[in-house]
Amino acid sequence: MRISFIIILFFPLLTFAQKADTYQIRTIAFYNLENLFDTKNDSLIYDNDRTPEGKDNWTEERYLKKIEHMSKVISEIGSADNKTAPDVVGVCEVENLNVLEDLIHHENLSKYNYGIIHFDSPDERGIDVALLYKKNAFVPVNFNSHRLLLFNLEGKRDYTRDQLIVEGLLDNEKIYFMVNHWPSRSGGEARSRPFRLEAAKLNKRIIDSVQRQNAKAKIISMGDFNDDPIDPSFKKILQVEKNYNNLDSLSLYGPMEKLYKKGRGSLAYRDKWNLFDQLYMTSTLINKERESYSYWKVGIFSPSYLMDPKGKYKGYPLRTYAGGSYVGGYSDHLPVYLHLIKKQN
């Protein structure tokens, strides 16, 4: 969407308005859809709970309500600034391509004509990452899924999600999007940390490989990283900077650390907010001239309807199941987003 800004310059005894600049805004979002499973039993994955006969009593009615909820949220992310649904959306915790098709064809999203990029990952729970994109805004030209090989203390393979990278043209401007869902904190943060450090190393290798081909490449990495912006995966491995004044040509910039230090988060656990859902980018997206797409602002989408209004989890994201019981909410994570902006001629 195009918006206009009026720049007012004040001088003693004289006020005048400069001609308004018109800008194109594109919104990039990420949302953990919290176990978006269909109702069918897939013998190749552990989805027995999410069937009508399973522990969760996952009926067609509940599935369709989940689709309706997820599509409603996606349609509104970032709309306070952009007045439309996001142009590119990374998602995780989706079972397969079929649920993504149901999602984008729901009446809440169908008018936006989203495309899908998805690969089946080897995750034991059968959950994947994917990229949704408005076909009139972004044209994919190349995409790949990178496998994260992990082994536990017994030397056995620990199957987890792949990392997705998509190269394409955003209004004819080349840009790369990465979608992540790093290993969880199951078993404790310290015990599971090595897995996320390995995920960060893979992320860094993918970015490095793109930058070796083109040092000026614009890359946005998004996902549920199961780590906060201050954790070692971001600070020691990726070396993400919170201040864009400290960037060099190959640096990574993480605008969400400032939100985290203000107490903002995308999920809550035991009365503590974490900001596991993040977006970070290459320094090539910091451009004050706005002649090409550059970073403008970042946010956490948290309207009141996404928050639990009462009970034990009051003030937490209103999830689909809580304490083992179906409550018919949305997700245990809040969506995050950023706006890119470019001056129009």
Side-chain angles (χ1 to χ4, degrees):
M1 177 181 179
R2 294 183 179 180
I3 64 171
S4 296
F5 296 107
I6 303 296
I7 303 174
I8 308 294
L9 303 179
F10 294 96
F11 293 88
L13 304 178
L14 176 65
T15 302
F16 64 93
Q18 184 176 312
K19 181 181 177 181
D21 286 324
T22 303
Y23 293 83
Q24 175 77 50
I25 298 177
R26 292 299 185 189
T27 303
I28 315 303
F30 176 81
Y31 195 17
N32 181 326
L33 302 183
E34 192 204 15
N35 296 319
L36 180 57
F37 282 76
D38 60 27
T39 61
K40 300 174 184 177
N41 187 2
D42 186 337
S43 61
L44 299 179
I45 60 174
Y46 299 128
D47 68 344
N48 294 359
D49 290 346
R50 285 295 170 106
T51 61
E53 300 79 22
K55 177 176 67 69
D56 293 337
N57 189 25
W58 191 238
T59 62
E60 186 74 7
E61 179 182 5
R62 291 182 176 183
Y63 170 66
L64 292 177
K65 185 174 183 180
K66 177 80 169 178
I67 290 289
E68 179 182 2
H69 279 180
M70 297 295 91
S71 61
K72 169 182 168 62
V73 177
I74 289 173
S75 73
E76 297 177 358
I77 300 172
S79 60
D81 297 303
N82 207 6
K83 310 305 179 187
T84 186
D87 301 283
V88 175
V89 188
V91 295
C92 75
E93 292 203 14
V94 296
E95 183 181 14
N96 51 42
L97 181 60
N98 292 334
V99 300
L100 292 166
E101 293 280 2
D102 288 345
L103 180 68
I104 66 169
H105 290 124
H106 188 277
E107 62 181 3
N108 289 331
L109 293 178
S110 58
K111 66 181 178 181
Y112 299 112
N113 194 26
Y114 279 106
I116 301 170
I117 297 176
H118 164 267
F119 291 87
D120 285 312
S121 75
D123 181 80
E124 293 172 351
R125 292 171 53 207
I127 53 174
D128 308 324
V129 301
L131 191 80
L132 312 179
Y133 59 95
K134 286 181 179 175
K135 294 178 182 178
N136 68 345
F138 181 71
V139 180
V141 297
N142 190 26
F143 41 88
N144 196 11
S145 186
H146 292 263
R147 193 130 297 175
L148 177 60
L149 295 175
L150 300 174
F151 298 89
N152 62 25
L153 295 176
E154 290 75 38
K156 295 182 178 179
R157 174 85 179 272
D158 193 306
Y159 293 92
T160 188
R161 282 76 60 179
D162 295 341
Q163 295 182 11
L164 175 64
I165 182 166
V166 180
E167 173 191 356
L169 300 175
L170 185 66
D171 297 322
N172 293 315
E173 187 174 317
K174 184 177 284 190
I175 192 166
Y176 297 79
F177 296 108
M178 298 176 64
V179 188
N180 302 266
H181 186 192
W182 289 3
S184 76
R185 296 192 170 196
S186 177
E189 188 280 326
R191 183 175 180 181
S192 60
R193 185 187 303 158
F195 285 174
R196 288 186 298 283
L197 294 178
E198 289 301 314
K201 291 175 184 177
L202 176 57
N203 223 229
K204 188 68 167 62
R205 288 197 298 272
I206 296 169
I207 292 171
D208 287 347
S209 68
V210 173
Q211 290 181 323
R212 278 195 295 270
Q213 298 296 319
N214 177 10
K216 295 182 179 180
K218 294 185 174 183
I219 307 170
I220 295 175
S221 188
M222 67 186 94
D224 173 2
F225 297 96
N226 276 300
D227 265 344
D228 290 313
I230 62 170
D231 283 321
S233 56
F234 279 86
K235 288 304 176 186
K236 294 184 178 180
I237 304 299
L238 292 167
Q239 298 181 4
V240 176
E241 288 281 352
K242 69 175 180 180
N243 189 339
Y244 58 71
N245 292 322
N246 296 334
L247 301 176
D248 62 31
S249 61
L250 297 179
S251 293
L252 301 174
Y253 174 56
M256 306 201 77
E257 184 174 345
K258 294 177 182 177
L259 293 179
Y260 176 74
K261 290 187 174 179
K262 291 179 180 178
R264 302 287 305 281
S266 59
L267 72 158
Y269 180 67
R270 294 182 178 176
D271 296 326
K272 179 183 182 296
W273 281 95
N274 291 103
L275 190 48
F276 290 171
D277 304 271
Q278 302 181 53
L279 306 103
Y280 72 89
M281 70 201 75
T282 50
S283 61
T284 45
L285 281 154
I286 307 301
N287 173 12
K288 295 180 180 179
E289 299 303 318
R290 314 293 193 193
E291 300 299 334
S292 61
Y293 275 121
S294 59
Y295 168 72
W296 179 30
K297 61 191 296 188
V298 70
I300 302 169
F301 185 63
S302 56
S304 59
Y305 71 82
L306 285 183
M307 313 307 291
D308 200 324
K310 60 184 179 180
K312 179 180 179 181
Y313 301 106
K314 182 178 179 179
Y316 288 20
L318 181 61
R319 54 196 303 174
T320 307
Y321 287 83
S325 299
Y326 177 75
V327 295
Y330 296 81
S331 171
D332 54 345
H333 291 244
L334 297 173
V336 294
Y337 64 94
L338 64 79
H339 294 309
L340 299 178
I341 193 169
K342 177 170 67 173
K343 189 180 295 184
Q344 299 291 286
N345 295 326

